[in-house]
Short mmCIF file of all heavy atoms in Angstrom, two decimals:
data_model
loop_
_atom_site.label_atom_id
_atom_site.label_comp_id
_atom_site.label_asym_id
_atom_site.label_seq_id
_atom_site.Cartn_x
_atom_site.Cartn_y
_atom_site.Cartn_z
N ILE A 40 55.93 59.67 85.02
CA ILE A 40 56.01 60.88 85.86
C ILE A 40 54.60 61.43 86.10
O ILE A 40 54.26 61.81 87.23
CB ILE A 40 56.92 61.93 85.20
CG1 ILE A 40 58.37 61.44 85.18
CG2 ILE A 40 56.82 63.27 85.90
CD1 ILE A 40 59.31 62.28 84.34
N LYS A 41 53.76 61.43 85.06
CA LYS A 41 52.38 61.91 85.21
C LYS A 41 51.61 61.02 86.18
O LYS A 41 50.88 61.51 87.06
CB LYS A 41 51.66 61.92 83.86
CG LYS A 41 51.96 63.08 82.99
CD LYS A 41 51.10 62.99 81.74
CE LYS A 41 51.38 64.09 80.77
NZ LYS A 41 50.54 63.97 79.57
N THR A 42 51.73 59.72 86.02
CA THR A 42 51.03 58.78 86.89
C THR A 42 51.48 58.95 88.34
O THR A 42 50.66 58.96 89.26
CB THR A 42 51.27 57.34 86.42
OG1 THR A 42 50.89 57.23 85.06
CG2 THR A 42 50.49 56.34 87.26
N ASN A 43 52.79 59.10 88.52
CA ASN A 43 53.33 59.28 89.86
C ASN A 43 52.84 60.59 90.47
O ASN A 43 52.50 60.65 91.66
CB ASN A 43 54.86 59.25 89.79
CG ASN A 43 55.50 59.09 91.15
OD1 ASN A 43 54.84 58.86 92.14
ND2 ASN A 43 56.81 59.21 91.18
N PHE A 44 52.79 61.64 89.67
CA PHE A 44 52.29 62.93 90.16
C PHE A 44 50.83 62.81 90.58
O PHE A 44 50.43 63.33 91.63
CB PHE A 44 52.46 64.02 89.10
CG PHE A 44 51.83 65.32 89.49
CD1 PHE A 44 52.39 66.09 90.49
CD2 PHE A 44 50.66 65.75 88.89
CE1 PHE A 44 51.80 67.29 90.87
CE2 PHE A 44 50.08 66.94 89.26
CZ PHE A 44 50.65 67.71 90.26
N GLU A 45 50.02 62.12 89.77
CA GLU A 45 48.61 61.98 90.10
C GLU A 45 48.42 61.20 91.39
O GLU A 45 47.61 61.59 92.25
CB GLU A 45 47.87 61.29 88.95
CG GLU A 45 46.38 61.21 89.17
CD GLU A 45 45.63 60.59 88.00
OE1 GLU A 45 46.26 59.93 87.15
OE2 GLU A 45 44.40 60.77 87.94
N SER A 46 49.16 60.12 91.56
CA SER A 46 49.01 59.34 92.79
C SER A 46 49.50 60.13 94.01
O SER A 46 48.88 60.06 95.08
CB SER A 46 49.75 58.01 92.69
OG SER A 46 51.14 58.21 92.57
N ASN A 47 50.57 60.91 93.84
CA ASN A 47 51.04 61.73 94.97
C ASN A 47 50.07 62.85 95.29
O ASN A 47 49.90 63.21 96.46
CB ASN A 47 52.43 62.30 94.67
CG ASN A 47 53.52 61.28 94.83
OD1 ASN A 47 53.40 60.35 95.62
ND2 ASN A 47 54.58 61.41 94.07
N LEU A 48 49.43 63.41 94.27
CA LEU A 48 48.42 64.44 94.52
C LEU A 48 47.21 63.84 95.25
O LEU A 48 46.66 64.46 96.17
CB LEU A 48 48.00 65.09 93.20
CG LEU A 48 47.17 66.36 93.29
CD1 LEU A 48 47.88 67.43 94.10
CD2 LEU A 48 46.89 66.89 91.89
N ASN A 49 46.81 62.64 94.88
CA ASN A 49 45.73 61.95 95.60
C ASN A 49 46.11 61.69 97.06
O ASN A 49 45.29 61.86 97.96
CB ASN A 49 45.38 60.62 94.91
CG ASN A 49 44.46 60.82 93.74
OD1 ASN A 49 43.51 61.59 93.79
ND2 ASN A 49 44.74 60.12 92.64
N LEU A 50 47.35 61.27 97.29
CA LEU A 50 47.81 61.05 98.66
C LEU A 50 47.84 62.35 99.46
O LEU A 50 47.47 62.37 100.63
CB LEU A 50 49.22 60.43 98.65
CG LEU A 50 49.31 58.95 98.32
CD1 LEU A 50 50.76 58.52 98.20
CD2 LEU A 50 48.61 58.13 99.38
N ALA A 51 48.26 63.43 98.81
CA ALA A 51 48.31 64.72 99.49
C ALA A 51 46.90 65.18 99.87
O ALA A 51 46.71 65.74 100.95
CB ALA A 51 48.99 65.77 98.61
N LEU A 52 45.92 64.93 99.02
CA LEU A 52 44.53 65.27 99.34
C LEU A 52 44.03 64.41 100.49
O LEU A 52 43.37 64.92 101.41
CB LEU A 52 43.63 65.07 98.13
CG LEU A 52 43.15 66.33 97.42
CD1 LEU A 52 44.30 67.05 96.78
CD2 LEU A 52 42.10 66.00 96.42
N ARG A 53 44.33 63.14 100.46
CA ARG A 53 43.87 62.24 101.51
C ARG A 53 44.46 62.63 102.87
O ARG A 53 43.78 62.58 103.89
CB ARG A 53 44.27 60.80 101.18
CG ARG A 53 43.63 59.78 102.11
CD ARG A 53 44.22 58.43 101.97
NE ARG A 53 45.55 58.47 102.56
CZ ARG A 53 46.54 57.65 102.27
NH1 ARG A 53 46.38 56.73 101.36
NH2 ARG A 53 47.71 57.75 102.85
#
Side-chain angles (χ1 to χ4, degrees):
I40 293 170
K41 280 184 183 180
T42 305
N43 194 8
F44 173 71
E45 185 177 17
S46 65
N47 283 331
L48 192 56
N49 278 318
L50 283 174
L52 255 66
R53 190 192 73 203

